[in-house]
Protein backbone atom coordinates (compact mmCIF):
# COMPACT_ATOMS: atom_id res chain seq x y z
CA UNK A 1 0.00 0.00 0.00
CA UNK A 2 1.43 3.43 -0.88
CA UNK A 3 2.24 5.94 1.84
CA UNK A 4 -0.58 8.43 1.32
CA UNK A 5 0.85 10.87 3.85
CA UNK A 6 4.26 11.33 2.24
CA UNK A 7 5.14 14.75 0.88
CA UNK A 8 5.79 13.66 -2.70
CA UNK A 9 5.27 13.04 -5.47
CA UNK A 10 2.31 15.37 -6.02
CA UNK A 11 -0.96 13.50 -6.23
CA UNK A 12 0.02 10.66 -3.88
CA UNK A 13 -2.01 12.14 -1.04
CA UNK A 14 -5.80 12.38 -0.93
CA UNK A 15 -7.56 15.56 -1.98
CA UNK A 16 -9.70 16.85 0.87
CA UNK A 17 -12.96 18.79 0.61
CA UNK A 18 -14.08 20.47 3.85
CA UNK A 19 -17.83 21.05 4.04
CA UNK A 20 -19.36 23.56 6.49
CA UNK A 21 -23.00 24.55 6.90
CA UNK A 22 -22.53 28.25 6.07
CA UNK A 23 -19.72 30.84 5.99
CA UNK A 24 -20.31 32.23 9.49
CA UNK A 25 -17.65 32.12 12.18
CA UNK A 26 -18.60 29.36 14.58
CA UNK A 27 -16.94 26.44 16.29
CA UNK A 28 -17.20 23.93 13.45
CA UNK A 29 -16.52 26.56 10.77
CA UNK A 30 -13.46 27.97 12.55
CA UNK A 31 -11.94 24.54 12.97
CA UNK A 32 -12.60 23.63 9.33
CA UNK A 33 -10.84 26.80 8.17
CA UNK A 34 -7.83 26.20 10.40
CA UNK A 35 -7.48 22.57 9.33
CA UNK A 36 -7.95 23.50 5.66
CA UNK A 37 -5.20 26.09 5.90
CA UNK A 38 -2.80 23.78 7.73
CA UNK A 39 -3.29 20.93 5.25
CA UNK A 40 -2.50 23.28 2.37
CA UNK A 41 0.59 24.50 4.16
CA UNK A 42 1.73 20.91 4.31
CA UNK A 43 1.26 20.65 0.56
CA UNK A 44 -1.97 18.64 0.64
CA UNK A 45 -4.74 19.57 -1.78
CA UNK A 46 -7.64 21.00 0.21
CA UNK A 47 -10.78 23.01 -0.56
CA UNK A 48 -13.51 24.62 1.54
CA UNK A 49 -17.23 24.75 0.67
CA UNK A 50 -20.36 25.89 2.48
CA UNK A 51 -23.81 24.45 1.90
CA UNK A 52 -25.58 27.82 1.97
CA UNK A 53 -25.01 31.53 2.53
CA UNK A 54 -25.10 33.22 5.90
CA UNK A 55 -28.68 32.60 7.09
CA UNK A 56 -29.16 35.99 8.76
CA UNK A 57 -28.01 38.92 6.60
CA UNK A 58 -30.44 41.31 8.39
CA UNK A 59 -29.35 44.41 10.28
CA UNK A 60 -26.23 42.87 11.77
CA UNK A 61 -24.23 43.27 8.61
CA UNK A 62 -24.09 42.23 4.96
CA UNK A 63 -24.50 38.65 3.93
CA UNK A 64 -21.33 36.76 3.27
CA UNK A 65 -20.54 35.63 -0.30
CA UNK A 66 -23.51 33.99 -1.98
CA UNK A 67 -24.00 31.10 -4.36
CA UNK A 68 -21.63 32.42 -7.00
CA UNK A 69 -18.69 32.73 -4.62
CA UNK A 70 -15.52 30.89 -5.63
CA UNK A 71 -12.78 29.51 -3.47
CA UNK A 72 -9.18 29.92 -4.55
CA UNK A 73 -8.62 26.20 -4.06
CA UNK A 74 -10.45 25.59 -7.31
CA UNK A 75 -13.91 24.42 -6.24
CA UNK A 76 -16.56 26.81 -7.56
CA UNK A 77 -20.03 27.23 -6.18
CA UNK A 78 -22.58 25.29 -8.18
CA UNK A 79 -19.72 23.57 -9.97
CA UNK A 80 -20.50 20.77 -12.37
CA UNK A 81 -18.63 17.53 -12.99
CA UNK A 82 -15.40 19.39 -13.67
CA UNK A 83 -15.08 20.72 -10.13
CA UNK A 84 -11.56 20.18 -8.86
CA UNK A 85 -9.12 20.94 -6.10
CA UNK A 86 -5.95 22.91 -6.69
CA UNK A 87 -5.97 22.92 -10.44
CA UNK A 88 -6.66 20.48 -13.26
CA UNK A 89 -3.70 18.24 -12.50
CA UNK A 90 -4.45 17.84 -8.79
CA UNK A 91 -1.24 19.65 -7.92
CA UNK A 92 -1.01 20.90 -4.33
CA UNK A 93 -0.82 24.66 -3.90
CA UNK A 94 2.78 25.63 -4.84
CA UNK A 95 2.75 28.23 -2.07
CA UNK A 96 0.55 26.66 0.62
CA UNK A 97 1.63 29.27 3.16
CA UNK A 98 -0.20 31.89 1.11
CA UNK A 99 -3.44 30.43 2.42
CA UNK A 100 -2.99 32.48 5.58
CA UNK A 101 -4.98 35.44 4.23
CA UNK A 102 -8.73 35.67 4.57
CA UNK A 103 -9.39 35.30 0.84
CA UNK A 104 -7.96 31.79 0.94
CA UNK A 105 -10.26 30.85 3.82
CA UNK A 106 -13.44 31.99 2.10
CA UNK A 107 -15.79 29.10 1.47
CA UNK A 108 -17.41 28.58 -1.92
CA UNK A 109 -21.17 28.53 -1.32
CA UNK A 110 -22.88 25.63 -3.06
CA UNK A 111 -26.53 26.68 -3.04
CA UNK A 112 -29.29 28.78 -1.53
CA UNK A 113 -30.36 26.31 1.18
CA UNK A 114 -28.56 23.64 3.18
CA UNK A 115 -30.54 20.62 1.97
CA UNK A 116 -32.15 21.93 -1.19
CA UNK A 117 -31.90 19.70 -4.28
CA UNK A 118 -29.69 22.18 -6.15
CA UNK A 119 -27.31 22.39 -3.20
CA UNK A 120 -27.06 18.60 -2.97
CA UNK A 121 -26.40 18.34 -6.71
CA UNK A 122 -23.64 20.94 -6.41
CA UNK A 123 -22.11 19.05 -3.48
CA UNK A 124 -22.18 15.79 -5.42
CA UNK A 125 -20.45 17.48 -8.33
CA UNK A 126 -17.83 19.20 -6.15
CA UNK A 127 -17.07 15.92 -4.37
CA UNK A 128 -16.01 14.36 -7.68
CA UNK A 129 -12.88 16.47 -7.43
CA UNK A 130 -12.08 15.17 -3.93
CA UNK A 131 -10.88 11.87 -2.52
CA UNK A 132 -12.35 12.41 0.96
CA UNK A 133 -14.97 14.86 2.23
CA UNK A 134 -14.83 16.10 5.84
CA UNK A 135 -18.35 17.01 7.00
CA UNK A 136 -18.06 19.57 9.81
CA UNK A 137 -21.31 19.72 11.81
CA UNK A 138 -24.72 18.03 11.86
CA UNK A 139 -26.20 19.80 8.81
CA UNK A 140 -23.30 18.62 6.70
CA UNK A 141 -23.80 15.05 7.91
CA UNK A 142 -27.27 14.94 6.38
CA UNK A 143 -26.10 16.67 3.20
CA UNK A 144 -23.23 14.24 2.63
CA UNK A 145 -25.33 11.18 3.41
CA UNK A 146 -27.85 12.29 0.77
CA UNK A 147 -25.59 13.83 -1.88
CA UNK A 148 -22.82 11.21 -1.85
CA UNK A 149 -25.04 8.12 -1.77
CA UNK A 150 -23.97 5.78 -4.54
CA UNK A 151 -20.72 7.64 -5.27
CA UNK A 152 -17.16 6.47 -4.72
CA UNK A 153 -16.23 9.47 -2.57
CA UNK A 154 -16.25 8.63 1.17
CA UNK A 155 -16.99 11.18 3.86
CA UNK A 156 -15.98 11.60 7.49
CA UNK A 157 -18.44 13.15 9.92
CA UNK A 158 -16.72 15.58 12.32
CA UNK A 159 -18.86 15.65 15.49
CA UNK A 160 -18.11 18.62 17.76
CA UNK A 161 -21.07 18.76 20.18
CA UNK A 162 -21.98 16.69 23.22
CA UNK A 163 -23.79 13.58 21.92
CA UNK A 164 -25.91 13.21 25.06
CA UNK A 165 -27.52 16.57 24.25
CA UNK A 166 -28.24 16.19 20.56
CA UNK A 167 -29.33 12.55 20.90
CA UNK A 168 -31.71 13.26 23.78
CA UNK A 169 -34.88 12.08 22.02
CA UNK A 170 -35.65 8.96 20.03
CA UNK A 171 -36.25 10.75 16.72
CA UNK A 172 -32.82 12.37 16.85
CA UNK A 173 -31.20 9.05 17.70
CA UNK A 174 -32.88 7.22 14.84
CA UNK A 175 -32.07 9.97 12.33
CA UNK A 176 -28.51 10.46 13.55
CA UNK A 177 -27.76 6.76 13.56
CA UNK A 178 -29.03 6.22 10.04
CA UNK A 179 -26.88 9.08 8.76
CA UNK A 180 -23.72 8.16 10.66
CA UNK A 181 -23.80 4.59 9.42
CA UNK A 182 -23.34 6.03 5.92
CA UNK A 183 -20.10 7.78 6.89
CA UNK A 184 -16.78 6.07 6.31
CA UNK A 185 -15.67 7.29 9.75
CA UNK A 186 -16.85 9.52 12.56
CA UNK A 187 -14.63 11.71 14.73
CA UNK A 188 -15.46 12.99 18.19
CA UNK A 189 -13.63 14.91 20.90
CA UNK A 190 -13.26 12.55 23.87
CA UNK A 191 -13.30 8.88 24.80
CA UNK A 192 -16.57 9.41 26.67
CA UNK A 193 -18.20 10.87 23.56
CA UNK A 194 -16.97 7.90 21.53
CA UNK A 195 -18.57 5.49 24.03
CA UNK A 196 -21.88 7.38 23.79
CA UNK A 197 -21.85 7.31 19.99
CA UNK A 198 -20.92 3.63 19.80
CA UNK A 199 -23.53 2.66 22.38
CA UNK A 200 -26.47 4.74 21.14
CA UNK A 201 -25.94 4.13 17.43
CA UNK A 202 -24.35 0.67 17.47
CA UNK A 203 -21.47 1.92 15.39
CA UNK A 204 -18.91 -0.81 14.65
CA UNK A 205 -15.54 -0.96 16.36
CA UNK A 206 -13.01 1.29 14.67
CA UNK A 207 -15.54 3.61 13.04
CA UNK A 208 -15.39 6.34 15.72
CA UNK A 209 -12.05 8.12 16.18
CA UNK A 210 -11.13 10.51 18.99
CA UNK A 211 -9.29 13.65 17.83
CA UNK A 212 -9.14 16.62 20.17
CA UNK A 213 -10.64 19.98 19.30
CA UNK A 214 -7.94 22.48 18.38
CA UNK A 215 -7.16 25.84 16.84
CA UNK A 216 -4.19 27.45 15.09
CA UNK A 217 -2.45 29.60 17.70
CA UNK A 218 -1.38 32.18 15.12
CA UNK A 219 -5.04 32.96 14.39
CA UNK A 220 -5.63 34.18 17.96
CA UNK A 221 -2.69 36.33 19.06
CA UNK A 222 -2.85 37.91 22.52
CA UNK A 223 -3.19 41.67 22.82
CA UNK A 224 0.22 43.33 22.70
CA UNK A 225 -0.25 45.61 25.65
CA UNK A 226 -2.85 48.20 26.58
CA UNK A 227 -2.57 50.18 23.34
CA UNK A 228 -3.34 47.08 21.27
CA UNK A 229 -6.36 46.31 23.45
CA UNK A 230 -7.65 49.87 23.09
CA UNK A 231 -7.15 49.71 19.30
CA UNK A 232 -9.13 46.45 19.12
CA UNK A 233 -11.97 48.03 21.09
CA UNK A 234 -11.97 51.11 18.90
CA UNK A 235 -12.18 48.97 15.75
CA UNK A 236 -15.22 47.16 17.16
CA UNK A 237 -16.90 50.34 18.41
CA UNK A 238 -16.47 49.33 22.07
CA UNK A 239 -15.68 51.64 25.01
CA UNK A 240 -11.98 51.96 25.81
CA UNK A 241 -11.72 52.25 29.57
CA UNK A 242 -14.17 49.77 31.07
CA UNK A 243 -14.11 46.18 32.24
CA UNK A 244 -15.17 44.34 29.10
CA UNK A 245 -16.36 40.73 29.01
CA UNK A 246 -16.86 38.84 25.74
CA UNK A 247 -19.68 36.37 25.08
CA UNK A 248 -19.44 34.43 21.80
CA UNK A 249 -21.94 32.00 20.32
CA UNK A 250 -25.30 31.46 18.69
CA UNK A 251 -28.07 33.36 20.47
CA UNK A 252 -30.06 30.17 20.90
CA UNK A 253 -31.73 28.56 23.92
CA UNK A 254 -28.93 26.16 24.88
CA UNK A 255 -26.28 28.91 24.92
CA UNK A 256 -28.16 30.83 27.65
CA UNK A 257 -27.34 34.43 26.80
CA UNK A 258 -30.14 35.26 29.22
CA UNK A 259 -27.87 34.05 32.04
CA UNK A 260 -25.03 36.26 30.79
CA UNK A 261 -27.35 39.27 30.88
CA UNK A 262 -28.51 38.29 34.39
CA UNK A 263 -24.82 38.25 35.37
CA UNK A 264 -24.34 41.67 33.80
CA UNK A 265 -27.29 42.97 35.82
CA UNK A 266 -25.36 42.07 39.00
CA UNK A 267 -22.08 43.72 37.93
CA UNK A 268 -22.81 47.41 37.23
CA UNK A 269 -19.20 48.27 36.36
CA UNK A 270 -18.93 45.67 33.58
CA UNK A 271 -19.82 45.85 29.88
CA UNK A 272 -20.68 42.78 27.80
CA UNK A 273 -19.68 42.41 24.13
CA UNK A 274 -21.88 39.81 22.41
CA UNK A 275 -20.63 38.24 19.19
CA UNK A 276 -23.25 36.11 17.50
CA UNK A 277 -26.78 36.06 16.23
CA UNK A 278 -29.79 33.84 16.51
CA UNK A 279 -33.52 33.51 17.14
CA UNK A 280 -33.48 35.00 20.66
CA UNK A 281 -31.60 38.18 19.82
CA UNK A 282 -34.58 40.54 19.63
CA UNK A 283 -36.11 39.18 22.82
CA UNK A 284 -32.88 39.37 24.82
CA UNK A 285 -32.10 42.85 23.51
CA UNK A 286 -34.99 43.96 25.74
CA UNK A 287 -33.38 42.53 28.89
CA UNK A 288 -32.95 45.16 31.65
CA UNK A 289 -29.15 44.83 31.48
CA UNK A 290 -29.00 45.12 27.67
CA UNK A 291 -28.21 48.84 27.93
CA UNK A 292 -24.69 47.82 28.97
CA UNK A 293 -24.43 45.10 26.34
CA UNK A 294 -23.02 45.58 22.84
CA UNK A 295 -24.64 43.30 20.24
CA UNK A 296 -21.94 42.98 17.57
CA UNK A 297 -23.65 40.40 15.38
CA UNK A 298 -21.73 37.53 13.80
CA UNK A 299 -18.16 38.78 13.49
CA UNK A 300 -16.17 37.80 10.38
CA UNK A 301 -13.23 37.13 12.72
CA UNK A 302 -13.49 36.81 16.53
CA UNK A 303 -9.77 37.41 17.15
CA UNK A 304 -10.12 41.22 17.61
CA UNK A 305 -12.77 40.67 20.26
CA UNK A 306 -10.46 38.39 22.24
CA UNK A 307 -7.78 41.09 22.09
CA UNK A 308 -10.34 43.63 23.30
CA UNK A 309 -11.70 41.57 26.19
CA UNK A 310 -10.68 41.29 29.83
CA UNK A 311 -12.43 37.91 30.16
CA UNK A 312 -14.70 35.48 28.32
CA UNK A 313 -18.04 34.32 29.70
CA UNK A 314 -19.60 31.01 28.61
CA UNK A 315 -23.07 30.27 29.99
CA UNK A 316 -24.20 27.22 28.00
CA UNK A 317 -26.36 24.36 29.22
CA UNK A 318 -24.60 21.99 26.81
CA UNK A 319 -21.17 21.95 25.16
CA UNK A 320 -18.57 19.54 23.88
CA UNK A 321 -15.07 21.03 24.00
CA UNK A 322 -15.94 24.61 23.04
CA UNK A 323 -13.78 26.19 20.37
CA UNK A 324 -14.43 29.67 21.77
CA UNK A 325 -12.76 28.69 25.03
CA UNK A 326 -9.72 27.39 23.14
CA UNK A 327 -9.55 30.54 21.03
CA UNK A 328 -9.80 32.81 24.07
CA UNK A 329 -7.16 30.82 25.92
CA UNK A 330 -4.75 31.04 22.98
CA UNK A 331 -5.37 34.80 23.01
CA UNK A 332 -4.44 34.90 26.70
CA UNK A 333 -7.97 35.65 27.94
CA UNK A 334 -9.21 33.96 31.16
CA UNK A 335 -12.67 32.42 31.07
CA UNK A 336 -15.59 31.92 33.41
CA UNK A 337 -17.68 29.01 32.16
CA UNK A 338 -20.44 26.62 33.12
CA UNK A 339 -19.12 23.19 33.99
CA UNK A 340 -20.86 21.23 31.22
CA UNK A 341 -19.65 18.72 28.66
CA UNK A 342 -15.87 18.70 28.64
CA UNK A 343 -15.40 22.40 29.35
CA UNK A 344 -13.11 21.52 32.26
CA UNK A 345 -10.57 20.13 29.82
CA UNK A 346 -10.01 23.70 28.62
CA UNK A 347 -10.74 25.78 31.71
CA UNK A 348 -8.78 24.80 34.81
CA UNK A 349 -10.76 26.10 37.75
CA UNK A 350 -8.72 28.59 39.75
CA UNK A 351 -5.72 28.34 37.43
CA UNK A 352 -6.87 29.63 34.03
CA UNK A 353 -10.34 30.88 34.97
CA UNK A 354 -13.37 29.61 36.85
CA UNK A 355 -15.99 26.87 36.50
CA UNK A 356 -19.56 27.21 37.79
CA UNK A 357 -22.55 24.88 37.82
CA UNK A 358 -24.94 25.59 34.93
CA UNK A 359 -28.03 27.74 35.40
CA UNK A 360 -26.78 29.81 38.37
CA UNK A 361 -26.42 33.53 37.51
CA UNK A 362 -25.41 34.49 41.06
CA UNK A 363 -22.53 31.99 41.12
CA UNK A 364 -21.49 33.09 37.64
CA UNK A 365 -21.49 36.74 38.71
CA UNK A 366 -19.41 36.01 41.81
CA UNK A 367 -16.89 33.97 39.81
CA UNK A 368 -16.62 36.61 37.08
CA UNK A 369 -16.17 39.41 39.63
CA UNK A 370 -13.36 37.43 41.24
CA UNK A 371 -11.59 36.77 37.92
CA UNK A 372 -11.86 40.43 36.89
CA UNK A 373 -10.54 41.60 40.25
CA UNK A 374 -7.54 39.28 40.47
CA UNK A 375 -4.42 38.86 38.35
CA UNK A 376 -6.05 38.63 34.91
CA UNK A 377 -2.69 38.68 33.14
CA UNK A 378 -1.49 35.69 35.16
CA UNK A 379 -4.66 33.73 34.53
CA UNK A 380 -4.50 34.58 30.83
CA UNK A 381 -0.87 33.49 30.56
CA UNK A 382 -1.70 30.19 32.26
CA UNK A 383 -4.68 29.72 29.92
CA UNK A 384 -2.49 30.29 26.88
CA UNK A 385 0.19 27.88 28.09
CA UNK A 386 -2.43 25.18 28.75
CA UNK A 387 -4.03 25.69 25.33
CA UNK A 388 -0.70 25.62 23.50
CA UNK A 389 0.15 22.32 25.17
CA UNK A 390 -3.19 20.57 24.64
CA UNK A 391 -5.19 22.29 21.90
CA UNK A 392 -2.83 23.80 19.34
CA UNK A 393 -3.72 22.64 15.84
CA UNK A 394 -0.24 21.42 14.89
CA UNK A 395 -0.45 18.69 17.51
CA UNK A 396 -3.51 17.04 15.92
CA UNK A 397 -3.03 17.57 12.17
CA UNK A 398 -0.94 14.40 11.93
CA UNK A 399 -3.92 12.47 13.30
CA UNK A 400 -6.23 14.07 10.72
CA UNK A 401 -3.87 13.29 7.87
CA UNK A 402 -3.58 9.71 9.06
CA UNK A 403 -7.36 9.28 9.26
CA UNK A 404 -7.96 10.82 5.84
CA UNK A 405 -5.31 8.55 4.33
CA UNK A 406 -6.87 5.51 6.01
CA UNK A 407 -10.33 6.33 4.67
CA UNK A 408 -8.94 6.99 1.18
CA UNK A 409 -7.05 3.72 1.21
CA UNK A 410 -10.22 1.77 1.91
CA UNK A 411 -10.88 2.24 5.61
CA UNK A 412 -14.61 2.89 5.22
CA UNK A 413 -17.64 2.20 3.03
CA UNK A 414 -17.22 3.46 -0.49
CA UNK A 415 -13.62 4.54 -0.02
CA UNK A 416 -11.27 4.37 -2.96
CA UNK A 417 -8.22 2.21 -3.05
CA UNK A 418 -6.03 4.58 -5.00
CA UNK A 419 -5.79 7.98 -6.71
Amino acid sequence: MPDHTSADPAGTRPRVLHLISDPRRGGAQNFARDLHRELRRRGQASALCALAPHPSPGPTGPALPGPRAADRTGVRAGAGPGARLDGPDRQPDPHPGACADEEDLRAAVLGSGRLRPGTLRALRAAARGADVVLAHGSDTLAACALALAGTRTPFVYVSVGHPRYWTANRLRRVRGGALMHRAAAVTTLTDEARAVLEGRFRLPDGKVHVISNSRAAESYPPADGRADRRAARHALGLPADVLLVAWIGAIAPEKRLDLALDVLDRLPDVRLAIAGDGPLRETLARHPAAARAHFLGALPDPAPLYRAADALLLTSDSEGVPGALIEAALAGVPAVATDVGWVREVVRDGATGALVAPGDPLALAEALAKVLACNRAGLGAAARAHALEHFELGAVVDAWQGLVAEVWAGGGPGARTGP
Side-chain angles (χ1 to χ4, degrees), residues 3 14 50 66 80 89 104 149 186 197 213 227 248 252 265-266 282 342 379:
D3 178 8
D89 298 319
D104 283 296
V186 175
L197 291 175
N213 202 359
I248 297 178
D265 208 20
R266 291 168 165 81
E282 290 188 9
W342 301 285
L379 289 174

Side-chain angles (χ1 to χ4, degrees), residues 272-350:
L272 186 68
I274 301 163
D277 211 341
L280 298 181
R281 173 173 174 165
E282 290 188 9
T283 299
L284 293 176
R286 296 192 291 270
H287 189 284
R292 287 185 287 113
H294 304 267
F295 286 83
L296 303 177
L299 296 178
D301 180 6
L305 181 54
Y306 296 126
R307 291 198 299 276
D310 294 302
L312 179 76
L313 180 61
L314 183 141
T315 49
S316 302
D317 282 340
S318 174
E319 290 286 354
V321 181
L325 289 179
I326 296 172
E327 294 163 9
L330 289 170
V333 178
V336 174
T338 45
D339 189 7
V340 296
W342 301 285
V343 163
R344 61 176 48 245
E345 295 197 6
V346 186
V347 179
R348 299 169 62 202
D349 190 33

Side-chain angles (χ1 to χ4, degrees), residues 228-292:
D228 191 21
R229 179 170 285 106
R230 287 173 65 93
R233 292 185 180 190
H234 178 75
L236 292 169
L238 298 170
D241 296 312
V242 297
L243 287 172
L244 183 70
V245 175
W247 187 96
I248 297 178
I251 306 179
E254 70 276 8
K255 299 298 183 180
R256 297 302 304 272
L257 177 58
D258 61 309
L259 278 181
L261 292 168
D262 288 345
V263 169
L264 189 63
D265 208 20
R266 291 168 165 81
L267 300 175
D269 296 329
V270 173
R271 297 288 189 96
L272 186 68
I274 301 163
D277 211 341
L280 298 181
R281 173 173 174 165
E282 290 188 9
T283 299
L284 293 176
R286 296 192 291 270
H287 189 284
R292 287 185 287 113

Side-chain angles (χ1 to χ4, degrees), residues 167-190:
T167 62
N169 63 59
R170 185 175 181 276
L171 179 60
R172 285 184 174 185
R173 289 195 294 273
V174 170
R175 177 178 178 272
L179 296 174
M180 276 188 281
H181 275 278
R182 294 192 180 187
V186 175
T187 70
T188 191
L189 303 176
T190 69

